[in-house]
Amino acid sequence: MRKLFICLITLFSYFYGIGQQEVIVQKYLYAGNIPLSKPILSDSVNANGKAFEESNLLKSKIAHDKLLSEATIMQADTSGELIFEASRDIYSLHLFSFYLNADRFTKGNLTISGSGMFEVYVDKEMKKDTQKADTMTSVKIDLKLEPRRYQVVVKYLALPERQKALTIKSVFKTEDEKSVITATADPSKRYTVMDMLNGKHIRSALISPNGKYALISYNERTEKRTETYKQLIETETGKIILQEKGYLNSASWTPTSSTLYFTRTGLNERELVTLDPESLQEQVLADNLPDGNFSFTPDEKTLIFSIKEEGPKEIKSMIRIVDPSDRQSGWRNRYTLARYSLETGLLEQLTYGYRNTSLNDISPDSRHLLFSISDYEYTSRPFSTKSLYLLDLQTLKIDTLLTNAPHVNYCAFSSDGKQLLVNGAPDAFDGVGLNIGVEKIANAYDGQLFLFDIEKKEVNPLTKEFNPAIKTAFWNKNDKKIYILAEDGDRQKIYLLSPENLKTVSVDVPEDMIKSISVAQQASALVCYGQSGSNADRLYYVNAKNLKSKCLYDLSAERLKDIVLGEMYDWTFVSADETEITGRYYLPPDFDASKKYPLLVYYYGGTNPTSRNLEFSYSMHLFAAQGYVVYTLTPSGSTGFGQEFSARHVNAWGKRTADEIISGTKQFCKEHDFIDVFKIGCFGASYGGFMTQYLQTQTDIFAAAISHAGISALSSYWGEGYWGIGYCSIANADSYPWNNKELFVEQSPLFNADKINTPLLLLHGNADTNVPVGESVQMYNALRILGKPVELIQVEGENHGIVDYHKKITWTHTMMAWFAKWLKEEPEWWNELYPERNL
């Protein structure tokens, strides 16, 4: 009886489609009656012996996006059939478009039927076509739908005198009864990695010294290619004066005359050319120019070159490593300084020797060069020191300003040339800028500013009581103020600092993350660009006299066209030691507070705050668009919150940081009852990848975890990667495997692998020179031996970050598929990407 019942159910399912979804398209975007003419038939056949056929007209190229941007909506009847009439006396093309949206990965087929010839495109790729003119025909297209929007376009050829009414019908069918598939004429879509990668992006913005013009660099990317170009604009109006993708790509501003300059290969080899932004007239300043990078002196009479000298080569089969950095390509090359007279064409070498000499700045009167030489001493932290020299270009006499100074980064002249602006770590200049006391070790990534008097050789700290961490700083020669780009908490802001009274004022630019600033030297002005948590880049001009900013170009409006983002909210909590930990969370589009959502927790945990940018590899909105609530926080140890806060990073490696992530996650769930506490995932990269692994040794609150390029063992990482010992000289200050075994063992996830129960995905570029891939390999091996759920995906040929376009998309989808498998009980996407193999 039971077998009979099963047979009846099977037959019923076969005939009536139980478990099958059928989505019938009811609305189309329509653009058409585009007339076509038959070509003049100069011969009966073409070069391949084929006669002309009407179906050839269907191959006519047409701009889908342009035409559909002004489309009208047409409604099908209740059965899904759309009947339309075309011009009866001419050939004509017609475009019909709709969107398919899937809430999860699913497979199915799209059938399109019509009474004529048509081509079907899915996301601009032609899938199938028909060749029959006078009969009802149909095409079936097998589709694998990821959870996103797909555009379907049907290009229809109408024939004269033979068709009174034309028809089209579109049906999508899938055996997946759990997925939600919709067909719509609404172009709204959720944010995807392709939306983030494709289209136009701002890459740089440089203001002219007089503040009147700016040179803006863009690139535009598609699946197949990337194009770079620059625009010359007026800063007051944003008016585009010139756009060019050749010589302008290498152009920059002369320091005083506010003309553009660039080099090119001309009749006399390498030419130096200037371009007047007002007249757009070119002038060749020099030819037969030497190779190498150069800077103008402020009087624009001399070029200061950095000349590369190729280092010695080793026998490839036997390479002696002479320095910890000798494994890096190009490390053996050395750079010296030379000056080139634009009047005589004489190239004169200024420095010579084994060590690199680096130009820091040129004095406002063009008389003095500020250059530095770095030395490496691995027996004491921070392993490198800087000696700073003042070179008189008239007498070639040297004045030594600093000798073997640790923790000094870069230096620049004041507007009068009597002082230097120095960027360095809190420990620079014997700790004169420290504000955390002697009992703690400062985080050297917490950038500080100092004022150095050239004549007196005296140093004064400028930002000792200024909590934001300095990223870059420029001394404006016009208003004598210092323009600062700084990490302020988990934001990046612009400040003006007066050296006389150490007062700082914030420049109001309405973005969370200012990416770059360029300061005019003959005007109180700057240009900058940046973005926030829920918008892409915008370009601004800032009048520093009144601190007013003006948006010159809202690129975000173009990049986010038709995209629907969920809401973002700030959320902070107080940790066990009463520290306020900042964070924020992102909701999915169409959020419903009455439902339960899986939660993703993102962190870095290293020396930087979690980014408030919309566009970066771990964009919170990218994951929220997949139906997750995403919570991110900046735990103790990050820069941007003051020296004491950032010093907590030193010799910690997970201590305190993990507790804050765990307690923050628990408190967030407690205060937000729309979270499914049994479906929480976590992820991070680099130090954040280490945090992912370490967290799983401390808690079982996570149902899935992803570590990209994560560190599993401090004992191997600290000395293996190219920058391991450099980073660890800060993060593990004065701690090594032989003098602090507790740190290197107890804080290493690998040595605690038996405590990990969470399904863990390890992602790693197999060409990673920062965190070698072995860090993931050894954790993978450990968890396999322990019988724990783990996967290891190596990204072929990629370094610490994934940059290849197609690999980046698959890498992103891999993370999403992993979370879908473990947090949504949807393994289909993962199984499609990585099917089981019995090897």
Side-chain angles (χ1 to χ4, degrees):
M1 191 71 184
R2 176 177 171 81
K3 290 183 178 180
L4 177 61
F5 177 76
I6 293 173
C7 290
L8 289 172
I9 290 293
T10 304
L11 287 171
F12 189 81
S13 300
Y14 178 81
F15 287 110
Y16 295 98
I18 284 182
Q20 184 182 77
Q21 282 196 69
E22 184 176 85
V23 180
I24 301 174
V25 179
Q26 295 291 336
K27 288 184 179 181
Y28 294 84
L29 293 167
Y30 169 75
N33 255 338
I34 302 156
L36 282 176
S37 299
K38 288 177 62 176
I40 297 172
L41 302 179
S42 58
D43 293 294
S44 59
V45 295
N46 65 9
N48 294 308
K50 292 185 178 180
F52 175 79
E53 297 177 354
E54 288 178 321
S55 60
N56 292 9
L57 296 173
L58 187 58
K59 304 300 180 185
S60 302
K61 298 292 184 182
I62 189 170
H64 293 185
D65 290 346
K66 183 177 181 180
L67 289 168
L68 289 170
S69 65
E70 299 180 358
T72 59
I73 294 179
M74 296 186 73
Q75 179 75 47
D77 62 22
T78 55
S79 70
E81 187 173 63
L82 176 65
I83 301 174
F84 66 100
E85 292 193 3
S87 301
R88 302 207 55 206
D89 54 348
I90 60 171
Y91 293 96
S92 58
L93 285 177
H94 304 259
L95 293 182
F96 297 88
S97 178
F98 60 91
Y99 302 98
L100 282 177
N101 291 286
D103 73 326
R104 56 182 284 176
F105 180 86
T106 191
K107 297 179 182 180
N109 58 74
L110 175 66
T111 300
I112 297 182
S113 305
S115 55
M117 289 186 284
F118 54 86
E119 293 177 335
V120 181
Y121 296 80
V122 179
D123 281 353
K124 299 183 179 180
E125 179 183 353
M126 208 276 278
K127 293 292 187 179
K128 286 191 177 180
D129 63 359
T130 64
Q131 300 293 323
K132 297 180 181 179
D134 301 318
T135 60
M136 285 294 297
T137 56
S138 65
V139 297
K140 181 183 287 188
I141 303 167
D142 292 328
L143 293 177
K144 297 175 183 178
L145 299 184
E146 296 165 353
R148 63 179 178 89
R149 188 200 76 176
Y150 290 79
Q151 184 184 32
V152 180
V153 176
V154 182
K155 185 172 73 172
Y156 214 117
L157 175 65
L159 309 175
E161 301 299 333
R162 272 170 285 176
Q163 294 165 304
K164 296 180 180 179
L166 303 173
T167 62
I168 184 172
K169 182 176 181 178
S170 304
V171 180
F172 178 80
K173 293 181 181 180
T174 175
E175 301 293 334
D176 182 1
E177 59 185 12
K178 295 180 181 179
S179 61
V180 178
I181 310 296
T182 58
T184 177
D186 182 357
S188 299
K189 61 179 179 177
R190 297 193 176 195
Y191 197 46
T192 70
V193 63
M194 286 77 80
D195 297 314
M196 185 173 68
L197 295 178
N198 292 340
K200 184 190 294 186
H201 299 80
I202 300 175
R203 283 294 170 254
S204 67
L206 297 175
I207 195 170
S208 61
N210 60 16
K212 293 181 179 180
Y213 306 98
L215 190 62
I216 316 299
S217 176
Y218 299 94
N219 71 22
E220 289 199 44
R221 174 185 261 178
T222 66
E223 180 182 354
K224 296 181 178 180
R225 58 179 296 184
T226 299
E227 184 176 271
T228 302
Y229 61 92
K230 285 189 176 180
Q231 288 180 347
L232 175 64
I233 67 169
E234 292 179 348
T235 53
E236 283 291 336
T237 64
K239 177 184 175 182
I240 300 173
I241 301 171
L242 180 65
Q243 178 171 310
E244 207 271 342
K245 62 180 180 180
Y247 60 85
L248 271 189
N249 274 337
S250 63
S252 191
W253 294 104
T254 55
T256 305
S257 60
S258 291
T259 58
L260 289 166
Y261 72 89
F262 56 91
T263 61
R264 68 185 179 200
T265 301
L267 293 175
N268 294 303
E269 301 301 328
R270 191 185 188 199
E271 296 179 340
L272 173 61
V273 185
T274 60
L275 177 71
D276 188 314
E278 293 186 13
S279 65
L280 299 182
Q281 294 298 306
E282 293 183 5
Q283 179 184 358
V284 178
L285 289 186
D287 50 26
N288 290 300
L289 204 66
D291 291 332
N293 297 322
F294 60 85
S295 300
F296 273 91
T297 54
D299 61 11
E300 299 182 8
K301 295 180 180 179
T302 304
L303 306 179
I304 304 300
F305 272 83
S306 179
I307 305 295
K308 182 174 78 170
E309 178 183 327
E310 294 283 348
K313 307 293 187 208
E314 296 272 359
I315 300 172
K316 287 188 177 181
S317 60
M318 303 292 288
I319 301 174
R320 180 194 178 197
I321 302 299
V322 298
D323 185 275
S325 297
D326 193 22
R327 294 182 297 151
Q328 300 179 38
S329 175
W331 178 83
R332 294 189 176 191
N333 298 333
R334 293 296 182 262
Y335 293 86
T336 60
L337 300 179
R339 65 176 169 183
Y340 178 88
S341 169
L342 289 171
E343 182 180 359
T344 65
L346 172 66
L347 179 68
E348 183 180 10
Q349 193 161 359
L350 296 174
T351 63
Y352 180 90
Y354 171 77
R355 296 174 299 171
N356 286 314
T357 49
S358 304
L359 178 66
N360 281 230
D361 201 5
I362 305 171
S363 63
D365 62 3
S366 301
R367 179 165 178 172
H368 294 93
L369 289 190
L370 186 67
F371 73 91
S372 61
I373 296 176
S374 294
D375 285 282
Y376 295 88
E377 177 52 64
Y378 294 100
T379 59
S380 62
R381 186 172 59 86
F383 301 157
S384 66
T385 59
K386 183 167 291 187
S387 297
L388 192 66
Y389 304 95
L390 198 64
L391 171 63
D392 188 322
L393 288 174
Q394 291 183 9
T395 65
L396 293 187
K397 289 185 177 179
I398 291 284
D399 183 10
T400 301
L401 303 181
L402 296 174
T403 303
N404 295 326
H407 301 295
V408 171
N409 298 327
Y410 67 82
C411 310
F413 282 106
S414 62
S415 54
D416 59 8
K418 296 180 180 179
Q419 300 181 95
L420 300 180
L421 179 66
V422 182
N423 177 291
D427 281 325
F429 303 108
D430 297 320
V432 68
L434 283 171
N435 68 7
I436 58 173
V438 296
E439 71 279 3
K440 292 186 177 180
I441 300 175
N443 186 333
Y445 289 112
D446 200 324
Q448 304 292 316
L449 292 179
F450 304 86
L451 201 58
F452 182 91
D453 188 291
I454 294 175
E455 183 178 352
K456 298 178 181 179
K457 307 292 194 294
E458 293 179 351
V459 178
N460 289 308
L462 293 177
T463 54
K464 183 175 181 177
E465 306 302 327
F466 184 65
N467 278 341
I470 309 303
K471 300 293 288 184
T472 55
F474 305 90
W475 207 319
N476 187 296
K477 295 177 175 59
N478 178 68
D479 57 25
K480 314 298 190 292
K481 294 181 179 178
I482 298 171
Y483 290 51
I484 297 171
L485 179 62
E487 285 176 343
D488 188 349
D490 59 357
R491 291 173 169 85
Q492 206 152 277
K493 294 183 178 180
I494 303 172
Y495 290 89
L496 301 187
L497 184 150
S498 299
E500 299 83 11
N501 55 24
L502 300 188
K503 288 186 177 180
T504 59
V505 293
S506 175
V507 178
D508 183 23
V509 180
E511 300 296 343
D512 288 338
M513 300 293 293
I514 303 301
K515 293 183 178 179
S516 174
I517 64 173
S518 176
V519 179
Q521 289 300 303
Q522 299 167 3
S524 297
L526 64 90
V527 292
C528 63
Y529 66 96
Q531 58 184 244
S532 299
S534 297
N535 65 268
D537 283 340
R538 297 184 179 115
L539 176 70
Y540 294 88
Y541 168 76
V542 177
N543 183 330
K545 290 182 179 179
N546 58 21
L547 303 180
K548 299 292 184 183
S549 64
K550 176 172 60 176
C551 183
L552 297 177
Y553 181 25
D554 184 0
L555 177 59
S556 182
E558 298 176 18
R559 294 193 49 72
L560 299 186
K561 184 179 181 294
D562 297 330
I563 291 174
V564 178
L565 299 176
E567 296 295 325
M568 181 191 80
Y569 298 98
D570 289 340
W571 186 80
T572 62
F573 75 97
V574 177
S575 67
D577 62 0
E578 299 187 348
T579 300
E580 183 176 83
I581 303 298
T582 64
R584 58 197 181 277
Y585 65 95
Y586 301 72
L587 298 175
D590 304 322
F591 172 74
D592 183 349
S594 67
K595 295 181 179 180
K596 292 285 188 180
Y597 288 87
L599 174 68
L600 296 182
V601 182
Y602 174 77
Y603 39 74
Y604 177 52
T607 56
N608 300 110
T610 56
S611 176
R612 277 185 173 262
N613 290 315
L614 169 70
E615 298 176 327
F616 76 115
S617 296
Y618 300 91
S619 171
M620 304 297 103
H621 276 297
L622 203 63
F623 289 88
Q626 295 292 310
Y628 301 97
V629 175
V630 185
Y631 167 52
T632 184
L633 70 161
T634 299
S636 291
S638 171
T639 53
F641 296 85
Q643 290 186 34
E644 191 282 328
F645 194 89
S646 66
R648 298 178 183 185
H649 178 71
V650 181
N651 281 314
W653 284 97
K655 286 182 179 178
R656 192 179 202 159
T657 308
D659 290 341
E660 289 171 355
I661 294 172
I662 294 167
S663 60
T665 301
K666 289 180 177 179
Q667 186 65 25
F668 182 82
C669 293
K670 184 178 179 180
E671 294 186 19
H672 301 90
D673 58 8
F674 49 77
I675 299 299
D676 183 344
V677 296
F678 299 105
K679 299 295 184 182
I680 305 175
C682 62
F683 61 125
S686 193
Y687 195 99
F690 158 80
M691 283 307 308
T692 292
Q693 297 180 35
Y694 181 75
L695 280 167
Q696 312 322 308
T697 71
Q698 306 297 304
T699 183
D700 286 331
I701 66 170
F702 299 108
I706 297 176
S707 165
H708 175 79
I711 299 156
S712 65
L714 306 185
S715 55
S716 52
Y717 163 72
W718 81 276
E720 249 188 331
Y722 283 1
W723 300 281
I725 62 170
Y727 177 75
C728 289
S729 72
I730 298 170
N732 319 350
D734 297 325
S735 291
Y736 301 99
W738 52 88
N739 69 7
N740 194 343
K741 294 180 182 178
E742 181 179 356
L743 174 69
F744 280 83
V745 173
E746 292 305 318
Q747 297 310 115
S748 291
L750 182 65
F751 291 91
N752 296 278
D754 57 323
K755 300 173 184 176
I756 296 177
N757 298 305
T758 307
L760 177 62
L761 171 62
L762 300 162
L763 292 166
H764 221 120
N766 67 5
D768 195 332
T769 56
N770 186 348
V771 179
V773 67
E775 291 299 315
S776 286
V777 171
Q778 58 190 359
M779 177 56 80
Y780 173 75
N781 290 338
L783 294 178
R784 287 299 302 268
I785 291 170
L786 290 164
K788 303 296 181 72
V790 64
E791 292 280 358
L792 172 61
I793 305 295
Q794 296 187 27
V795 190
E796 181 68 29
E798 293 295 293
N799 205 308
H800 199 50
I802 310 303
V803 297
D804 177 84
Y805 178 89
H806 296 284
K807 292 175 185 175
K808 195 176 189 75
I809 291 173
T810 304
W811 170 77
T812 304
H813 288 172
T814 296
M815 290 189 285
M816 292 175 173
W818 181 256
F819 284 138
K821 174 180 178 177
W822 292 102
L823 303 183
K824 294 183 177 181
E825 298 179 2
E826 298 172 7
E828 294 84 2
W829 199 0
W830 178 266
N831 294 340
E832 182 67 27
L833 289 171
Y834 305 103
E836 288 294 331
R837 292 191 177 95
N838 295 317
L839 300 179

